[in-house]
Amino acid sequence: MALTKNPNVLKWLDEMVALTTPDKIVWIDGSEEQLKGLRAEAIATGEMEELNQEKLPGCLLHRTLPSDVARVESRTFICSRNKEDAGPTNNWEDPKVMYEKLGKLYNGVMKGRTMYVIPYSMGPIGSPFSKVGVELTDSIYVVLNMDIMTRMGAQAFENLGDTSNDFVRGLHSKANVDENERYIVHFPEDNTIWSINSAYGGNVLLGKKCFALRIASYQGKNEGWMAEHMLILGIENPKGEVKYITAAFPSACGKTNLAMLIPPEIYKKKGYKVWTVGDDIAWMRIGPDGRLWAINPENGFFGVAPGTNEKSNPNALASTRKNTIFTNVCHNLDDNTVWWEGLDKNPPKHAIDWKGQPWDGSVSTEKGAHPNSRFTAPAINCPCISDKFNDPQGVPISAIIFGGRRAKTAPLVYQARDWEHGVFVGSIMASETTAAASGAVGVVRRDPMAMLPFCGYHMGDYFQHWLDMGKELGGKAPKIFNVNWFRTDDEGHFIWPGFGDNMRVLMWVLDRCEGKAEAVETPIGYEPKPEDINLEGLDIDLDTLKGLLDVDKGLWKEDASGIEEFYQKFGSKLPKELKAELETLKKNLD
Ligand code: GTP
Ligand code: SPV
Ligand code: MN
């Protein structure tokens, strides 16, 4: 039975049913009873495997095809009516042409299958930040993941109401999972997403990157707010005051880890605590007090498994110990649990690898888990989840941090001189590519604000939107910083210990926001005095830290010409403020 009377939903559903011709339609109400049935069905068909219910209660394992393990940026499109509106960094096709082309692929694709109708809310139900989406899919895996990642079920329709047309229409079919016919397509002007021939997370959980970043960034520009690829965390001082920070790092560059960090002993014993609000996406609005406020639109974590362990990220690990879906990890057959590289030093001997093949960790030279294998874990499982996680108003932001993987150029931390300079700092972000997207790994590319694969419109307009938001925020704007945890020595080892010790850098960041710490002016912005980063209890001396903060003018001059070349892409859409910032940087380097 239909879960809504909203004629806009029903009309669109009728059209999509006529196109894809499923045998059966199931409305997802979000009830535990219904989910139980779907889990049982997925286990019965082999789509998912039930893990050890004593050690991992409620946990399931799933493998996608080896050709379908990451986002595919080359097959991701922004189909605005005018090509110019998608900009130089997105793939584009005329929406009419694309609807027709994909229409052929969707034609009858759900024959013999069930269509699940998933209503969901991005953001807490009832929050002024929140937005509703409906995803139609032929995958139970998608339903079960959406249950963890969003507020899914009948309540989302209640939020939408009986007449509103303001919902994102998502259509997904795994079809034959044919990589040559794979498309992840956004029609921002129609509030529509069409995804076909994939069954991997970022391509098919349409509430996440597709809606909450690509469509939402477009909505944000038009409606005066921001959708960003950012974690949100709170740092509580011994007096019980909490200050909030957002940080944008590209995929697989440390957002989940920073969001859940465990304070080093020196801070813990003084009474500092860290709280997680979000690990991947932030929606931000200017509040009635004129400050920037953020919510996490998601309800769970779709986190990178490899490297997650008791030491690096115990909070993430704890989050995955119940009601979690594991995708493309290694299956330990001895006790029916999961394993991945970096979990511990005891790879199972009797196991199935991410490709579904028998695997013996004591001899194999292949990886047991895919480098982009993931866990889908409910946010409420996280031991350090913030008490503001469900707050409809979100949290006020004191600082915004940009960062990426740079072996050399970027120092451990620096602060932008002001908002405009901060927008410049975000716009010139560069990072080595990771396994989160298909393609080469370790190649440095420009990834402005970590949004290169996620901005749903012209990136030049996006920079302008950042500048406009700054004007509106005025003196209440968060301070902007850049960090790099990934500088390496001559042997390629990371110099900075990272993980929990990143808090030492965050403390300088917060001190700067409160006017409590000094800074040194450099050609690229303000840096800490080395003695202002607390190294107590660390195996790092002041000279190493000075090296981490070093600004190599030669490398930066090379970078400046790289930026100049990158900026040329945007033509007349490049805001003049950013052009001026580049000139200032070049002058400072001479
Ligand atoms: P997405 O979910 O793809 O957006 O990734 P993310 O930005 O949340 O990255 P995540 O925290 O999952 O980290 C990705 C990889 O970076 C993992 O293998 C981590 O172990 C590693 N990593 C995270 N933080 C640090 C750090 O401070 N130092 C070092 N050296 N590695 C880190
Ligand atoms: C990312 O790649 O940035 C992710 C994972 O967070 S995905 O959902 O696949 O986009
Ligand atoms: Mn991400």
Side-chain angles (χ1 to χ4, degrees), residues 286-340:
I286 299 175
D289 62 354
R291 295 187 66 190
L292 192 62
W293 289 69
I295 63 155
N296 169 12
E298 302 192 281
N299 200 31
F301 310 118
F302 187 58
V304 178
T308 307
N309 61 50
E310 205 43 71
K311 206 167 157 259
S312 67
N313 195 344
N315 287 318
L317 196 62
S319 307
T320 68
R321 299 296 92 175
K322 60 179 184 204
N323 303 329
T324 291
I325 298 171
F326 296 93
T327 303
N328 298 333
V329 299
C330 179
H331 190 186
N332 181 347
L333 297 177
D334 283 333
D335 61 353
N336 190 22
T337 57
V338 290
W339 189 85
W340 47 77

Side-chain angles (χ1 to χ4, degrees), residues 71 208-209 229 249-252 255 279-281 374 454:
R71 287 181 291 101
K208 195 172 176 59
K209 295 304 170 47
H229 192 196
F249 309 152
S251 302
K255 288 182 299 302
D279 81 324
D280 198 51
I281 299 178
R374 300 238 167 201
F454 307 120

Side-chain angles (χ1 to χ4, degrees), residues 47 118 135 137 139-147 152 172 199 204-206:
E47 183 180 353
I118 310 173
E135 177 166 355
T137 180
S139 161
I140 295 182
Y141 173 76
V142 168
V143 177
L144 297 179
N145 273 275
M146 288 294 280
D147 172 49
M152 179 184 89
H172 165 250
V204 301
L205 308 179
L206 300 185

